[in-house]
Amino acid sequence: MAISPFRRRILFLVALGVALPAVMLSGLAVYLTSRIARSIENDTARYNTYLAQQVAESFELELMDHLRRAVASAEQVAREGGAPGAIVRALAADGGEFAGPHFVPTADLSGYSLLIVEGQPLLYALGDGRHRNQYFCGLLLRSPDGNVTGAGGWWVDPVRFVGGHLEVVVRERLPGNPRAYGGIELIKRTSIEIFDGRGARIGRVREPGDARAASTEAMAGPFEKLTVRVSVTSDSPIVWTMRFLKLELAFALVMGLAIVVATLFGYVYTVRQIELATLKAGFVSNVTHELKTPIALIRLAIDTLEMKRFRSPEEEGKFLAIIGRETQRLTQLVDNILDFARLEAGRGVFRYDAVDLAPLVRDAVESLKPRLDHLGFQVAMDVPESLPAVQADATTLTHCVLNLLDNAIKYSKVHKELRIAADVRGREVAVSVADRGIGIAPGDRKRIFEKFVRLENGLVHEVRGAGLGLSLVDQIMRAHHGRIEVSSTPGEGSTFTLVLPMMAAVPAGTAEPQSRTGT
Ligand code: ADP
């Protein structure tokens, strides 16, 4: 008996009322957190780009400073009208770390490029031959009349220059740069790397921590083939902030998910509890009815017999048969309730013995013979003389077979044919009860094994039952390391099969019970 669609809808709306605001709030938290994270990431990337530009400019300044100092004597010689040879000698004397002193007269300067560093022109040109990968870097020199006579300079290897001056630039020049916003503290939490044209790292200051907000900027002038990459170090406050934000994001997500799962679980649980309560109420009224009907019939038969209100010995026999049948039914019901109570209380203690199912099945069918004959059933038996032994509690197994037979009788109203078979399947023994009754719809083949469940089919009100039989059989079979299988075609009949492992195949300990299967 299922919960009414109306009640189910109300419950669902209540669950939705709890889950939806929670999901919306956690969704909002997720959205805001990711917005904050993205904004921090963008700001950091912007700052890193700016810093990379400052680093690139600092190298230009560093080069310019060195060139200016080294070219001072050559400038003096040129201003005094010295010949190119004298200028080159002065360049060679003061070049310091620069090699290849060189004077380029004004007429030859057309192929040279210009970089303005702090308002001063720096002339440069990529060399070839033995000066491949080097740049001529020079400053303008003037004659005594103040006109430019040419450029004096040296061959500079930008990779070597940057490699040799990285520490000075980053640790001294950059923190002193008033345009490097954020001051020393922020720069300390920054990783600066320089790469050559092929992507190989020339040098770095501090290991990068988080690559996401890293910025890469191309350098200019004689350093045009190099790039600067600025990223935050792993101990940067930004990295910590991002970590906390990530945690917060995960927390908000998990909270939302947990609330949805909890609400869903609560909804399913409540529906199940209501269903169970409804089923239990139905069970009590079913059992009361089940007890009252046979008692009333027995009472009537006894009264009739006592008052000798029968006309012939055959009629007397009929009343005795009613008493026998109804007593049998009462016994089965009471057995079912007792077995059920025992199993529910976890006291499913069975007395295991080696049992031959063949005589057990035959006896069970025989005990129902009067009822079968009375109702006009045709019974076909396909049970061998004996079967390999199974380890089982014979009385409880008899209850199982009786339950299947009882159902087969109850749910066959038109074609009253039963077929009871038993055989060996590999290492298992199977007993099946087939009827040509009303059958079971595919969607119900699992539910019928739940306790108190009676299907809302055409016969449920006509046929007596407490909804316990199959649930009991299922539990008993599991306790015996066996299973119950069902195959059915609605309108054509059903076959229930009990499958038990042969005695030798039963595991020594109490292995996990197997599940039932349905087709
Ligand atoms: P009940 O006391 O109602 O027979 P069971 O647990 O034995 O309880 O069976 C549960 C339900 O399964 C029955 O109410 C019936 O709808 C269905 N059922 C069981 N056996 C058969 C069968 N042989 N043919 C059709 N339906 C069956």
Side-chain angles (χ1 to χ4, degrees), residues 343-367:
L343 286 168
E344 280 289 288
R347 284 185 282 108
V349 185
F350 302 105
R351 275 183 299 277
Y352 290 103
D353 263 321
V355 176
D356 183 348
L357 285 179
L360 184 145
V361 171
R362 268 197 299 271
D363 288 351
V365 177
E366 197 54 40
S367 71

